[in-house]
Amino acid sequence: MPDSPQNGHSPQVPVDNQNDGQASTHPPLQVERRRWPRTSDAIQEASPPLPPALEPLRFSTHELPPSDQFAAWQGYLAPLIDIRLPDGVSAEAGFPADHTAWNLGGMLVVQQSVPAHSYSRSATKLRSNSIDHWHIVLLRAGQSWTEVDGNVSTGERGRVELRSLGHPFRGRATESQSLSVYLPRELFLDVPAFNEIKSNTTFSDTYAKLLIDYLDSVETKLASMTAADLPRVVQTTHDMLVTCISSSAEHSGPEKHQSNLALMERVRRFVQRNLSSQDLTPDTLCRELGISRTRLYQLFESSGGVLHYIQKRRLFWAHVALSNTVNRKQIVEIATEAGFASAAHFSRAFSKEFGYTPREARNIAAPTFLARSASPMDPKDGSANPFGDWLNSLGH
């Protein structure tokens, strides 16, 4: 006789695991409904990928006759540095070299492969082209030796080299491959460490290795970066470099040298912020910064003088404004904003500096991030140098 139910509960029914043809006593299985869209559905609904924003500016001497290769390389890098062959090496032997530049707007990245050579950025070069960006160099292969004010630094794989293009330097390199980054000085105006850092400094500590790893990663993604990526990459590079500088004891150089660098940085900062002022004179600088005219002239002696430096910065600023397709102000307005009291003086100075008139600069404006392939013979033929244009307009 079966057991009677107790306390209102149904009796337990034994589970029969044998396939005896009787109906199963298991309750029906409940199938859980999917609460989220399938992965494939989500992928189909996603927006299409954004197009790459960068086109590289490539320059190579490989397709030239060997006897023409070195002259072409000299001409291409002439806006930046002077190049010489090692002693005993003839230009007839050839100079196969490659240079690929990427313009991120606030930063230039350059990949370079080049035979042994020597290089210099002299006081004369500074007078002819007064760009003063910070230059970061990572050697992938080979070695270099760079001298600034009698101090020589060695560049090799695993080190970060930092130097100012606003200060003369010279050096030599073996056959080498490198990754270079050019950053405008204006990015670091409010960073105290950069007011004290001495040019031609090398770093090889933990932070330097992190910076190298990061720039390695940036290099691999240059061809796929979108427009939205560019300012973020520039800002991250800035932040990592500031960390690298701030954590290093390398910038504790001689007191007088550091004092000069810090003072020059203050002068540059004041000039950049007051380019449009008619009162931007040596007397104003001396009064605002509390220094003598003698000290001011000594600081900018290698740059052709403080007045020469001020005019260069005004012309570069005006060139960028004229090349901006969005800026439709009249040329005379741009000249006034650049601090020129006379439109005729502006036009003469501009034409002398760049080799074409302000009106021509407006008509040949090009997109910021896109570039064309550069003919190896362009510099030799006297035509415009696109890499030099990028250096001049960097950061503006």
Side-chain angles (χ1 to χ4, degrees), residues 217-284:
S217 176
V218 168
E219 183 181 15
T220 63
K221 295 176 175 61
L222 286 168
S224 60
M225 287 183 184
T226 67
D229 295 328
L230 305 185
R232 299 170 187 168
V233 171
V234 174
Q235 184 63 49
T236 303
T237 305
H238 164 278
D239 295 345
M240 294 193 70
L241 187 59
V242 169
T243 299
C244 188
I245 297 298
S246 301
S247 65
S248 173
E250 292 277 350
H251 61 269
S252 56
E255 183 177 348
K256 181 178 179 181
H257 182 68
Q258 295 305 315
S259 176
N260 285 343
L261 287 176
L263 180 56
M264 184 174 289
E265 191 64 35
R266 290 174 60 205
V267 174
R268 286 178 173 137
R269 184 185 309 181
F270 186 86
V271 168
Q272 192 65 33
R273 290 176 176 173
N274 294 275
L275 283 178
S276 62
S277 173
Q278 295 294 326
D279 294 327
L280 186 57
T281 64
D283 286 339
T284 301

Side-chain angles (χ1 to χ4, degrees), residues 54-131:
L54 301 177
E55 258 185 59
L57 179 65
R58 302 185 189 278
F59 180 83
S60 177
T61 65
H62 281 265
E63 296 182 2
L64 294 174
S67 59
D68 293 336
Q69 290 176 348
F70 181 67
W73 187 258
Q74 273 187 315
Y76 192 69
L77 292 185
L80 177 64
I81 52 177
D82 294 316
I83 303 291
R84 294 179 58 187
L85 288 169
D87 293 340
V89 176
S90 170
E92 300 298 319
F95 198 84
D98 294 291
H99 188 281
T100 302
W102 305 77
N103 191 342
L104 281 68
M107 178 173 84
L108 296 186
V109 178
V110 174
Q111 300 156 304
Q112 179 174 286
S113 176
V114 64
H117 65 284
S118 62
Y119 49 89
S120 68
R121 183 163 172 81
S122 63
T124 302
K125 178 68 70 177
L126 287 175
R127 284 192 288 271
S128 65
N129 189 319
S130 58
I131 53 175

Side-chain angles (χ1 to χ4, degrees), residues 23-319:
S24 170
T25 58
H26 288 288
L29 294 175
Q30 297 294 321
V31 179
E32 183 179 357
R33 293 184 178 277
R34 184 181 299 273
R35 298 181 182 178
W36 296 278
R38 296 178 182 273
T39 303
S40 59
D41 295 338
I43 293 176
Q44 292 175 0
E45 295 175 3
S47 301
L50 295 174
L54 301 177
E55 258 185 59
L57 179 65
R58 302 185 189 278
F59 180 83
S60 177
T61 65
H62 281 265
E63 296 182 2
L64 294 174
S67 59
D68 293 336
Q69 290 176 348
F70 181 67
W73 187 258
Q74 273 187 315
Y76 192 69
L77 292 185
L80 177 64
I81 52 177
D82 294 316
I83 303 291
R84 294 179 58 187
L85 288 169
D87 293 340
V89 176
S90 170
E92 300 298 319
F95 198 84
D98 294 291
H99 188 281
T100 302
W102 305 77
N103 191 342
L104 281 68
M107 178 173 84
L108 296 186
V109 178
V110 174
Q111 300 156 304
Q112 179 174 286
S113 176
V114 64
H117 65 284
S118 62
Y119 49 89
S120 68
R121 183 163 172 81
S122 63
T124 302
K125 178 68 70 177
L126 287 175
R127 284 192 288 271
S128 65
N129 189 319
S130 58
I131 53 175
D132 57 355
H133 311 315
W134 286 107
H135 183 202
I136 297 93
V137 184
L138 311 181
L139 279 181
R140 307 297 198 200
Q143 280 190 303
S144 67
W145 297 267
T146 306
E147 182 264 326
V148 174
D149 293 336
N151 298 314
V152 179
S153 67
T154 301
E156 58 189 11
R157 185 176 179 85
R159 288 187 177 184
V160 176
E161 297 178 74
L162 175 68
R163 64 183 61 99
S164 169
L165 297 184
H167 199 87
F169 61 82
R170 63 178 182 172
R172 63 184 179 89
T174 65
E175 181 178 0
S176 58
Q177 296 177 2
S178 64
L179 180 73
S180 288
V181 177
Y182 298 88
L183 289 161
R185 187 175 293 273
E186 288 76 15
L187 280 181
F188 304 94
L189 289 180
D190 298 320
V191 181
F194 270 85
N195 294 338
E196 301 175 2
I197 189 68
K198 64 180 179 180
S199 181
N200 206 35
T201 297
T202 60
F203 307 94
S204 57
D205 57 9
T206 299
Y207 292 103
K209 290 178 172 57
L210 290 174
L211 178 60
I212 291 172
D213 290 343
Y214 170 71
L215 292 177
D216 286 347
S217 176
V218 168
E219 183 181 15
T220 63
K221 295 176 175 61
L222 286 168
S224 60
M225 287 183 184
T226 67
D229 295 328
L230 305 185
R232 299 170 187 168
V233 171
V234 174
Q235 184 63 49
T236 303
T237 305
H238 164 278
D239 295 345
M240 294 193 70
L241 187 59
V242 169
T243 299
C244 188
I245 297 298
S246 301
S247 65
S248 173
E250 292 277 350
H251 61 269
S252 56
E255 183 177 348
K256 181 178 179 181
H257 182 68
Q258 295 305 315
S259 176
N260 285 343
L261 287 176
L263 180 56
M264 184 174 289
E265 191 64 35
R266 290 174 60 205
V267 174
R268 286 178 173 137
R269 184 185 309 181
F270 186 86
V271 168
Q272 192 65 33
R273 290 176 176 173
N274 294 275
L275 283 178
S276 62
S277 173
Q278 295 294 326
D279 294 327
L280 186 57
T281 64
D283 286 339
T284 301
L285 286 168
C286 293
R287 183 174 61 252
E288 294 292 331
L289 301 175
I291 58 177
S292 68
R293 289 174 67 93
T294 301
R295 182 89 187 276
L296 181 65
Y297 290 154
Q298 287 175 343
L299 285 173
F300 285 88
E301 183 178 2
S302 63
S303 300
V306 65
L307 288 175
H308 180 82
Y309 175 79
I310 291 173
Q311 177 161 297
K312 284 273 192 178
R313 301 311 300 173
R314 284 173 164 165
L315 289 171
F316 290 154
W317 183 92
H319 192 293

